Every structure is written in C-alpha cells, then in structure tokens.
Amino acid sequence: MELDVQGRNLLSLLVARLDKAVPGRPETYIGYKKCHDLLGLDQQREKWGESLKPQGLSALADWTEANGFPGITGLIISLSTLEPGKGYFHLFGKEEGDYDWWAEQIRSAKSFDWSPYLAEKFDLVPSDLEAPDREDISISRIIRDTALSYRVKLIHGYECQLCGIALSMPAGKKYAEVHHIKPLGQPHDGPDVIENMICVCPNHHAQLDYGAIKLRADDIRTKQEHQISDQFIDYHNESIYKP
Ligand SMILES: [Zn+2]
C-alpha cells in the first residue's frame, strides 16, 4: 500500500515535529489547524479535524496501521481536548482514551526510521502565515533540509559515495543516509548546504560521525550535480578525524 502525496507531506511534517514531542505530554504535540497552516491546506470542513482527514490524515493513519508502523497520527490533537480524534484509537482496535498505548505510539514513532517514506519534494508555506512564530520557522527549516537530503540521495541513486553500495530494501526501494561533513549545530556550526553533504551507507555514516576515517576528495564518488566543497573535507580531516 503506497502512501499518497498528501499523506507523505503530512508524514514529513510530523516527523520534523517529533523531536519536540514528549510522549505522554500532548501539549508538546501539534494541533489540527497548525497542520493546515504549515502545509497550506484549505479548511474544507467546519471542524479542523474533519477537514484534515481527506487531506492526508486518513491516508496516513490507514497506511501506518496497514504496515504495522507506529501510530504517528496520534501526534495530531485537538487543542480543545488535547486528544486525537476517536477514530485514532478505533483504527488500531484500541479503547478510546487508552493513554498508555497512545504514549507508546509516540515513543515508538520517535525511534522509527521514517526516512524512506518522506516527501521527496515538499511545499511548505510559512510565508502564508501572518506572523510565523519561531517554531514554524524551525519546522520549515528542518523540512527543507529533509528535502535537500532527499535530493542528494536521488542524485547518487542511493549509492554510498565512499563504497558505492546501495542497500536494498523491500519493494525495490533503496536506502542511504546523508551526512553533514562539517556537522550542524554546536560546536561545529556547519551549514545546511549541498556542498556540505555526502550520501553514505550506514556503516560509513557511523565512521564519519565518530571520526574513524579520513576523507580524500579523490576517493569520493561524485556526480556533476553535486559538488562537495574542499573546505568541509578539510574540516573533517582536521577537526573530526581522530588518527
Ligand atoms: Zn559505504
């Protein structure tokens, strides 16, 4: 069962939002209206929850249930009740208000690898918001990064730029990861740009993260559309690599 475009977009938004969510604390989850705002969806029904259903929510919920994936749609709540719709519990065959099960779904969703299912291209419209708050800006940033990582993987056909391996997944899918050569965040403060990204297999990703290997520009498999900047390679060799 394939997830449709709206379902994928909603999934991508929720995944970007998972970092902030504390299982069992719905005040850290996301409201139905906010999902509309961030995805640029129209209000199609009077109630926001009803309006989101045909615009990705039902498709995503059915897809997670059918695949046995964590019930990530439990991250979307009504701000008046701080609970997801009744349909959420029913779909998974649970009693309404089974809060332990609900918290467990969010906990599992946080550790689940959603990357093969995220939207390839993602149209988020923070500019349509009257005054985007900091949170919206950071979400739109995370999603933009997700889209950029996707592009890098596509350019390389999911092949590791160090060893050429593309991991095979079910249904003919491939799996790869994208590493920021000069890491994001403190203390490195590397930029979210394609020149600072490298498409790698999980093994090489771990070795790069831990500084177990040195990078040599000549050994990196490159494509015309994706040039890695030497300054980031130098940074890795000088500040991350531990001889
Ligand atoms: Zn590799």
Side-chain angles (χ1 to χ4, degrees), residues 43-102:
Q43 183 176 5
Q44 293 188 352
R45 313 265 172 82
E46 197 185 329
K47 289 187 173 170
W48 290 106
E50 291 301 315
S51 172
L52 194 58
K53 279 184 189 172
Q55 302 190 82
L57 177 56
S58 296
L60 177 58
D62 291 344
W63 174 80
T64 50
E65 197 275 335
N67 286 289
F69 293 162
I72 192 173
T73 47
L75 201 64
I76 313 173
I77 52 160
S78 152
L79 291 183
S80 53
T81 61
L82 288 184
E83 286 186 20
K86 295 170 185 157
Y88 174 64
F89 295 101
H90 294 163
L91 176 65
F92 291 90
K94 297 290 161 185
E95 292 292 319
E96 233 168 87
D98 188 339
Y99 298 121
D100 289 341
W101 171 82
W102 177 24

Side-chain angles (χ1 to χ4, degrees), residues 16-30:
R17 187 51 190 254
L18 272 176
D19 270 355
K20 287 194 54 165
V22 182
R25 284 186 45 206
E27 69 275 19
T28 63
Y29 299 177
I30 185 170

Side-chain angles (χ1 to χ4, degrees), residues 160 162-165 200-201 203-204:
C160 176
L162 298 180
C163 66
I165 285 174
V200 283
C201 68
N203 286 348
H204 277 121

Side-chain angles (χ1 to χ4, degrees), residues 127-138:
S127 56
D128 285 2
L129 298 173
E130 292 275 309
D133 54 29
R134 285 188 60 81
E135 187 190 315
D136 294 335
I137 292 167
S138 69

Side-chain angles (χ1 to χ4, degrees), residues 174-221:
K174 300 283 182 192
Y175 180 82
E177 296 177 353
V178 168
H179 172 69
H180 284 84
I181 301 169
K182 183 176 184 182
L184 304 176
Q186 296 302 324
H188 307 291
D189 236 2
D192 306 321
V193 295
I194 200 163
E195 294 82 8
N196 186 30
M197 295 178 168
I198 183 167
C199 178
V200 283
C201 68
N203 286 348
H204 277 121
H205 197 181
Q207 286 191 304
L208 287 173
D209 274 341
Y210 286 95
I213 48 172
K214 196 170 178 173
L215 283 175
R216 288 179 197 82
D218 288 349
D219 297 342
I220 299 175
R221 293 149 200 262

